[in-house]
Amino acid sequence: MQLTIERIANLHEREIEEFMNHIKHTFQPSIQQQADIVRKAASLVRMNAIGAYRYTESEQSIMANISGTESEFARLSFQTMEPYCTCLNDSWCAHQIAIVFHLYSQFHSLSDWLHNWRQAGTVQTQLSISERTPEAWITALSALVQPLSELDHKDGPTGFLHYTSKIEQQKTRLSPFEWEWKPLFSLYYQLTLLRAAWPFLRSELASNDSYHYGKWQLTIWLNEQMSELKSGITQLSSKSKLFETDAFHAKLKDLIHSFAVEEEGLFSKRFEAFRLAYTELYIEEPELAQEIERLQDDTANDAPLFRAFLYLTSGRFDELDHELDSLDPTAVPQWLAFALYAKEDEDFDIVQSIMLQLLPHLADYYQQLPSRNRSSFAEDIDELLSLSDVSEEQRDQLFQSYGAEASRAYGKFLFERSRYVEWAALMHLTRGSVDMIDGALLKIALAEDSQAIFPLMHAEALKLVKEKNRDSYRRAVRLWKQMKAAAKRDGRNEFWNRYVNTVRQQFPRLRALMEEMEKGNLLL
């Protein structure tokens, strides 16, 4: 049965939105050649140039005849999200875009879309800074980054990176010519950019859904911006302050405070910006005291942690102890960021104060983490707990509450305490084969407690035997030879010979296995 074009558009509304989003961010109205392609596609739709079409349900695709100056056939696949056209254009052509526009126009206003697309290309083109004042810088930079604050999830990482690329190009025109002013301007730009991008980044990166390519791209971009921020602070801190920059530094402190304290989500990044500012750039006692006073009046959720950090930085330990005693233990990620900093700074008493209060809440927080983050979290937490007055029994219980994702950290914990029976059992449960266990660790464990490791190696050898091929038999014999060397070293010759004979009796019909065991000379 022939489906109507309205029905096709309804069936594939999500895919059509994706096509439109791709067109929006691939074709820029400011580039004449790209703008002409979009205009031609819109013109084909208005002239009703899209004639006969055919929808193939099994392939989820639509093919249409486009009658213009020359007749062409264009095809869209909703399954692979790939276009094709008989004009043989390597990339998107006007005929393919015309089909997308035609489908989109069944339920949306194509005119409104084209108007918004053109507007996006004309914003910011006349941007300039007329005078050198903090307010003028902020006004111009805020206008420059405004598109980022207007993004929503439909634009996706592709749209976000498209706008950041355009902003980066236009930023150069605003930058001061004088070399000594560039680091200061760069910090203003980075902080203004991050604040505008933060709502979008927070919604995309803080979610616990699958870690897709777009999220990876956003993570890379954010790390690059933090690196630029660090570089700017380092450059600025290495130079003496000019008298005319006093007003700029005063405003810069406001920008840092607004970004670090008033924004929400992705705390480790905000904390890193604040930490860099008040350990490298603003380190004088009056500057620290001024920021502490501001934080004391601040009602933001994270203000107590930033206060605690400055108490530590300025040596006000009595006030720090009071802050730690009243910390909100449910704010686990925030206080862990502080604990990691205190560890790097070798303030182990601070680490202990934080970890003892967070201990009852770690298991619940762990279960809320995405699976991909749990392994590294377990390792970091145990390293902090090892510096605190937390018993091994409590740490053990915490590991057991974590589950399989923490097996690497738990294995390290057990191995360091020579608990080889439990270590071997954990390896058996969580590793697909002995090949996935660190060979050096296996060798040490076998040398120190062969009786604990034999069951693990025996189970692996039997697994290889059940594969019933000569290569697997050889691998099993190699394991048995390692076990033989350990048994000989321990003086357990009689036990070992009984073990080998038992294996032989268990598989008497596997002639190839018997041959490999004979070649291996397994008896002592």
Side-chain angles (χ1 to χ4, degrees), residues 19 22-23 61-62 73-78 80-86 88-93 95-97 99-100:
F19 277 133
H22 179 79
I23 295 166
S61 66
I62 183 173
F73 283 94
R75 178 178 178 271
L76 293 178
S77 171
F78 299 116
T80 63
M81 299 302 289
E82 293 177 353
Y84 169 78
C85 184
T86 53
L88 300 179
N89 196 309
D90 290 337
S91 56
W92 280 81
C93 66
H95 310 108
Q96 298 155 355
I97 295 173
I99 296 182
V100 177

Side-chain angles (χ1 to χ4, degrees), residues 13-23 81 100:
E13 186 175 2
R14 183 180 62 82
E15 291 89 346
I16 293 166
E17 285 283 357
E18 286 188 33
F19 277 133
M20 293 294 288
N21 195 40
H22 179 79
I23 295 166
M81 299 302 289
V100 177

Side-chain angles (χ1 to χ4, degrees), residues 352-389:
Q352 178 169 304
S353 297
I354 294 173
M355 298 311 296
L356 287 176
Q357 295 199 51
L358 293 183
L359 184 61
H361 306 276
L362 293 175
D364 289 341
Y365 179 72
Y366 177 86
Q367 298 303 330
Q368 299 171 22
L369 291 171
S371 297
R372 65 181 180 274
N373 295 340
R374 291 181 177 180
S375 179
S376 59
F377 176 84
E379 291 187 44
D380 290 342
I381 287 297
D382 193 61
E383 189 174 349
L384 292 170
L385 291 175
S386 68
L387 301 172
S388 310
D389 190 17

